Amino acid sequence: GQNIDQPTEMTATEGAIVQINCTYQTSGFNGLFWYQQHAGEAPTFLSYNVLDGLEEKGRFSSFLSRSKGYSYLLLKELQMKDSASYLCAVREEAGNNRKLIWGLGTSLAVNP
Amino acid sequence: NAGVTQTPKFQVLKTGQSMTLQCAQDMNHEYMSWYRQDPGMGLRLIHYSVGAGITDQGEVPNGYNVSRSTTEDFPLRLLSAAPSQTSVYFCASSAGTSVHNEQFFGPGTRLTVL
């Protein structure tokens, strides 16, 4: 079946590093997205991984291991504005059927 | 570019009323979709379109209709509102004809059905 698991909530301190994990079980895996969503706002794209390894983009990095069904989003030098929900989404493709499966999101609170 | 725009931002309906949520994008994106987001449920796909004149059902299509007469516009119609349709609705678009690419979301419509 299709399943995406993320921690519901995390807290971290300003200036620190935090890792948000995402595990998934899907058939026909074809890519994984991370989105950021501030309270009361729309999701915005952060990263995309389709091959194993680490993708770095400024303070944010995303890692994928397809064999383990595992990804993480790494946020460095945390700032107060990083307080948001982080959504993991897996792209699944089976024949002509393509879909995006969303996790419930991890709510990150950054404290001073 | 305005990106993806949605109107209205907020709406209160009574059970049984109908209304249309508007969505427009100015990025010439082929793929557009409607999601609803509810606490504890995550984002769920309602309907999507891979281009003008083409629409298809998503995960939770019942009670909603869509049309895509132009590349820019993708309105969502609630036929007879029910309290279960109280939610935040997001329209999204992406380049290409599938959900394979980065999606750009509109600001959302917060709908309450009494």
Side-chain angles (χ1 to χ4, degrees), chain A residues 58-70:
Chain A
R59 293 190 300 115
F60 292 6
S61 303
S62 57
F63 171 84
L64 175 68
S65 169
R66 289 172 295 172
S67 62
K68 296 181 179 177
Y70 168 68

Side-chain angles (χ1 to χ4, degrees), chain B residues 11-17 81-86 111-114:
Chain B
Q11 183 70 50
V12 178
L13 293 177
K14 295 181 180 177
T15 297
Q17 286 185 313
S84 61
Q85 293 179 305
T86 293
L111 175 69
T112 301
V113 183
L114 303 175

Side-chain angles (χ1 to χ4, degrees), chain A residues 20-98:
Chain A
I20 302 174
N21 296 326
C22 171
T23 59
Y24 61 88
Q25 292 177 316
T26 65
S27 52
F29 173 84
N30 198 5
L32 185 144
F33 294 87
W34 283 97
Y35 282 78
Q36 180 191 58
Q37 186 176 23
H38 285 101
E41 298 183 8
T44 56
F45 171 82
L46 287 178
S47 69
Y48 168 67
N49 296 69
V50 67
L51 299 177
D52 290 349
L54 189 68
E55 295 280 343
E56 297 187 76
K57 191 186 291 186
R59 293 190 300 115
F60 292 6
S61 303
S62 57
F63 171 84
L64 175 68
S65 169
R66 289 172 295 172
S67 62
K68 296 181 179 177
Y70 168 68
S71 173
Y72 66 73
L73 181 69
L74 192 71
L75 291 74
K76 303 176 186 175
E77 301 170 13
L78 280 172
Q79 302 176 9
M80 299 297 289
K81 67 177 182 180
D82 297 330
S83 294
S85 183
Y86 291 86
L87 310 177
C88 173
V90 172
R91 192 170 72 196
E92 182 182 86
E93 183 169 337
N96 290 327
N97 188 15
R98 298 169 177 168

Side-chain angles (χ1 to χ4, degrees), chain B residues 27-57:
Chain B
M27 297 173 283
N28 202 32
H29 285 170
E30 292 294 327
Y31 185 90
M32 296 186 74
S33 56
W34 276 101
Y35 291 94
R36 58 178 291 174
Q37 187 174 39
D38 303 287
M41 300 289 288
L43 283 162
R44 291 184 291 170
L45 182 66
I46 304 172
H47 284 285
Y48 66 97
S49 168
V50 298
I54 306 169
T55 64
D56 207 344
Q57 296 181 348

